[in-house]
Structures are given as structure tokens and as C-alpha cells.
Amino acid sequence: MEITEFFEYAEKLATVHLANGLTVKIFPKKDFHKTAALLRVEFGSIDESFASSRPENVQKFPAGVAHFLEHKMFEQPDHDAFETFSHLGADANAFTTYTSTNYLFSTVFNVKENLETLLDFVQEPYFQPAAVEREKKIIGQEIKMYADDVNSALYAGILAQLYPQHPLANDIAGTLTSISKITAADLLDCYRAFYRPQNMSLLVAGAVEPQEVSEWIENNQAKKVFEPGPKIYRSDLTAKKFQQPALAFKKINLSTKRSRIAFGIKGRDPVEVSSLAGLQYSLALELGCCLLLGELSNNYQQLYQTGLIDDSFNFEIQVDRGFHYIIVSAQTDFPEQLFNELNQIFATALDQLQAATEHFEMAKRDLLGGQIELLDSVEDILNEDQGLLFGQATIFDQLKAVKKLTLKEVYQTLASFLKTAQFSKFQIDSKGVEVK
């Protein structure tokens, strides 16, 4: 076990690499009553195609298979894992992202038993064809619900604009057509390929003692036998067939009182996401956007005072395995004018950064303060952990990286990003508005 002390924050991190390949990170929180744990599997919605043993043995699975697998993992031969967590006094949940599947719980009781439950149900698959068919109806309702949600439609819409013919263009849950094709055999194939200890990380934060927790986990894993399995080759999502140019503009109508817009920028410069360099890039991009669009920026104040935006205005930076982008979103009564203003802001972004010396330190402190605040929540600590991304980066790596950032580095990162970036716009208007 490796113990790292962070004296500045009165925190520490215990890291254990088990013999079977599972990475365990423990964040003990003195004087906390609650404990949270998250088991992350590096298998997400974009992993629709992969090969076993040899790169040419590519298998293509229906969109939504990772999310479908997440749903079915809770069902065991004689019980439902959700019920077990409830009996043990824990709140449990799960979610799938573009690159990972995550299973988690939080509790003030029975930490050992809940940890064992978490490890056991995720590492013991049980897929019955009849149950898989029943699950299609449940997930189908979820897909319909999100299709009617304006915010979900906005995000899905801009991603489809930025990444046509790429798995990112598909909803994480898939479509009614794609999930209808998923079989129990598909789920088992994906499980065997990715649900291996070396492709997982277990994170625990809260009222725990690291050595004790480590022993619980090691004892649990020692009782199980994991087949080595063949080498897995993910599809190269940087290949030409997945890198179609971003689409310029699309507008749709949904039930909404005001127009919703999303302004997307697709990064195409190379980013090394297997090391801390990728984290540094991501944070530099975030700080650059804070300088350009944050609430303390002149741009934000001008857009707000002229009535083009309100408190719904937001921007997101995503740097992940095989893709990275910036998405700016807002509700507005003047979509075309707001799009024009955002175009102008990014067209002059580098000039603005050169003149941002005084504002830089303020924005940096604001970003750092937000990161430090997350240390007060065990759930936030786990959610900020990057799993196997960025060289196993934790929230403490983020804090260190933010402190190191300079205006020069932010400028260079944004310059690299914008040099080859592609832009797209997506708009949702209320029903009854004519679509041109």
C-alpha cells in the first residue's frame, strides 16, 4: 500500500494495486460519518466495436450495449443487488458514460458488507434471455423519456453534429431499434472482454481506515478466479471513417418556451490522455474558457447585460479517450445573435487571452477554490477521480495541475485546440416555429 499525504489540505490517499490487476484508491476522511464507494469499468457507450485476440477479429455490437449491461448487472440468480444494498442501509446507483460504466453506493452503515456486495454483483454476471427481453421494455421507456427532455436532446443533438458517423453521435442508451437487437450472448461477450480487474478501479472515500478496507477487498478478491482472457483491441476511433467533418447547423422543434442553443467546438489536435499531460491539457482548456466565458469575464457580463443570456448559460469541456470538445449552451430569445457573438468571441480568443494577465490570477483562484470545495463531499471526490484515464489522476492531481498553470500554457493550449478545430451549432425552438 502506498500512502500519499497532502498536508496542505489535511488529506491523504492510499493506493493499492492488487495482484489480479484491480486498482484500489482509498480516501480516508477524518470526522466524516458517511462512506461512498465507486467501482469503475473502462467500458462505455463508444466501445461498440472491438476485437478479441487479433485486431482483425472485429465484433460490432448494437448501440447502447454498455448501458444495457449496466442495467442487467444488478440482477442475480436469487436476488437483486439493489435490494441487498437497501437492506444494508446503503443508497446504490449506476451510470454509463461514453467511456466507462460506474457502480456506486453511499452509506453510514455496514461498509464492509456493502463493499463486498458491490464487488460481488459486478464480478458475477447472470444474463437470462427472458430477463434480457423484459429489460428492453424498461430501457425503451428510459430512451423515450430522454427523447422528450429538452436538455438531453440539446446535448445529444450537438454531439451528433460534431461527430457524425462516430459512436458519440449515438445516445448512450442507444435507440429503440438498436436495443431490440441486443442479446444475452452480446452482454456476455462484452462482459468477458471488459469486466476484468485490470480494467477496473475501485474508489472508496469517507469514514474508513485504509489498511482495514484494503484487507477486506484483498480477501474478497482472493476468493475469486478470473480467467486471463484474450487481448482486447478497441476500434480506433481516430480512424478516418470516424472522423467525418462536423456538420454546420441544425434546428429542431420540441416543447420548450424559449429557444435552446448549443455551440460546439470539436478538437482535432493530438492529446495524450494516458498520462498527466492530458489532465494538464484539459484544465488549461477549462481555464481558458473561464477567462473567455466565465461569470467574471467581460464577455459574460456583456452577453448578460444585453439580455442574450441568463443564468442557464453554461460551458463544458470534455477531454477523454479518443475525443475532446467544448460545448457552450444557453436558453435565449435571440439565438442567431448569440451564435454570432460566440463566433466572434472564439475568433478573437487568443487576442483576448494575451490581454488577460490581470484577470488570469483571479480566474485561476476561482477554479482552484471550486476544486478544493469538492473535498467536502465524498461523492465529489470519487466523481472527480479519472479512473484509468490521465495516468490514474485523482482530485489531488487536479489541484496540483491547476496551481501549475500559467497564462502562457493556457494560451498555447487554446491555440493548439483552435488551430484545427471544427465548429457546429444546434438549436431547439418551440413547436410551431417554422424550421428553415
Side-chain angles (χ1 to χ4, degrees):
M1 177 183 292
E2 178 184 349
I3 303 290
T4 307
E5 297 270 1
F6 302 93
F7 298 103
E8 183 176 358
Y9 310 109
E11 303 279 358
K12 63 181 178 180
L13 164 67
T15 306
V16 183
H17 299 287
L18 272 59
N20 64 11
L22 179 66
T23 297
V24 180
K25 302 176 189 177
I26 305 168
F27 304 81
K29 298 290 292 180
K30 186 179 180 181
D31 299 328
F32 271 54
H33 297 288
K34 184 165 67 171
T35 296
L38 183 150
L39 184 57
R40 176 172 293 137
V41 184
E42 304 296 325
F43 175 54
S45 67
I46 66 170
D47 297 313
E48 298 174 4
S49 302
F50 59 88
S52 301
S53 301
R54 301 175 61 171
E56 61 269 24
N57 297 337
V58 177
Q59 292 177 277
K60 178 73 171 71
F61 293 87
V65 68
H67 174 261
F68 203 116
L69 182 54
E70 171 220 309
H71 271 239
K72 291 310 300 170
M73 287 308 303
F74 285 89
E75 184 176 330
Q76 296 295 295
D78 57 354
H79 70 281
D80 184 285
F82 272 122
E83 294 180 1
T84 303
F85 281 118
S86 180
H87 290 319
L88 292 170
D91 291 324
N93 207 341
F95 62 93
T96 303
T97 72
Y98 298 112
T99 56
S100 69
T101 309
N102 304 266
Y103 303 90
L104 59 153
F105 73 81
S106 62
T107 186
V108 294
F109 307 106
N110 305 311
V111 175
K112 177 183 178 182
E113 292 80 2
N114 279 302
L115 268 176
E116 290 179 340
T117 299
L118 177 65
L119 287 165
D120 288 347
F121 88 84
V122 175
Q123 293 180 332
E124 295 175 5
Y126 178 73
F127 309 127
Q128 292 297 307
V132 170
E133 292 304 311
R134 289 195 300 270
E135 195 69 30
K136 292 178 181 179
K137 296 180 181 179
I138 297 172
I139 296 178
Q141 291 300 316
E142 183 178 336
I143 291 172
K144 292 177 182 178
M145 178 183 69
Y146 282 115
D148 292 332
D149 181 82
V150 179
N151 291 327
S152 297
L154 184 68
Y155 199 82
I158 191 60
L159 279 183
Q161 289 291 104
L162 291 172
Y163 295 92
Q165 300 183 40
H166 187 287
L168 280 171
N170 299 325
D171 190 273
I172 287 175
T175 66
L176 295 178
T177 299
S178 70
I179 66 168
S180 70
K181 301 174 182 177
I182 294 174
T183 66
D186 290 334
L187 299 179
L188 190 57
D189 284 345
C190 292
Y191 180 90
R192 287 172 173 168
F194 294 103
Y195 277 61
R196 305 177 185 181
Q198 62 267 34
N199 198 46
M200 298 178 176
S201 51
L202 175 61
L203 319 170
V204 184
V208 294
E209 197 285 311
Q211 187 61 47
E212 183 179 44
V213 171
S214 176
E215 290 175 2
W216 294 343
I217 297 168
E218 289 182 29
N219 290 337
N220 176 278
Q221 296 297 279
K223 300 173 185 176
K224 302 172 183 178
V225 177
F226 299 95
E227 298 180 5
K231 183 175 181 180
I232 300 300
Y233 299 87
R234 285 186 168 96
S235 290
D236 181 9
L237 296 180
T238 63
K240 186 176 181 180
K241 66 177 180 178
F242 293 120
Q243 294 300 316
Q244 301 300 313
L247 304 175
F249 176 69
K250 184 176 182 179
K251 179 162 65 173
I252 67 171
N253 294 335
L254 289 175
S255 295
T256 178
K257 293 182 179 180
R258 302 176 67 203
S259 294
R260 311 284 182 104
I261 67 101
F263 183 87
I265 314 176
K266 172 184 177 179
R268 299 170 68 231
D269 53 327
V271 180
E272 178 54 69
V273 297
S274 62
S275 70
L276 287 174
L279 176 64
Q280 198 77 13
Y281 178 99
S282 176
L283 291 169
L285 207 58
E286 182 173 356
L287 187 49
C289 285
C290 288
L291 289 167
L292 294 172
L293 299 169
E295 292 186 10
L296 300 177
S297 69
N298 292 331
N299 291 324
Y300 179 93
Q301 293 300 323
Q302 182 177 355
L303 293 173
Y304 190 89
Q305 290 170 10
T306 55
L308 292 182
I309 64 171
D310 56 19
D311 292 343
S312 67
F313 184 80
N314 186 46
F315 62 85
E316 176 182 334
I317 294 88
Q318 184 75 25
V319 179
D320 213 317
R321 173 168 40 91
F323 62 91
H324 57 293
Y325 55 78
I326 296 171
I327 292 177
V328 184
S329 60
Q331 298 181 38
T332 182
D333 295 319
F334 310 97
E336 185 175 353
Q337 189 175 346
L338 180 53
F339 277 136
N340 290 337
E341 291 292 335
L342 292 172
N343 270 324
Q344 182 63 22
I345 288 171
F346 281 97
T348 60
L350 298 182
D351 291 336
Q352 293 182 62
L353 289 186
Q354 284 185 324
T357 304
E358 183 176 338
H359 186 199
F360 174 75
E361 289 302 327
M362 186 185 304
K364 182 176 173 178
R365 287 195 298 270
D366 186 55
L367 179 58
L368 184 62
Q371 293 283 325
I372 293 173
E373 187 177 8
L374 297 177
L375 293 173
D376 290 333
S377 165
V378 290
E379 290 88 355
D380 286 337
I381 290 172
L382 302 188
N383 288 330
E384 288 299 305
D385 192 276
Q386 300 298 321
L388 303 184
L389 192 68
F390 302 146
Q392 301 273 9
T394 69
I395 189 171
F396 300 111
D397 292 306
Q398 292 189 47
L399 289 166
K400 183 177 180 180
V402 172
K403 287 185 174 182
K404 288 173 56 180
L405 281 174
T406 64
L407 182 56
K408 180 180 179 181
E409 183 176 3
V410 171
Y411 179 94
Q412 291 174 338
T413 300
L414 198 62
S416 174
F417 175 79
L418 292 175
K419 185 176 182 180
T420 57
Q422 295 178 345
F423 293 73
S424 184
K425 297 178 290 185
F426 187 76
Q427 181 176 333
I428 298 178
D429 283 342
S430 62
K431 288 184 176 180
V433 175
E434 182 181 353
V435 180
K436 297 180 181 180

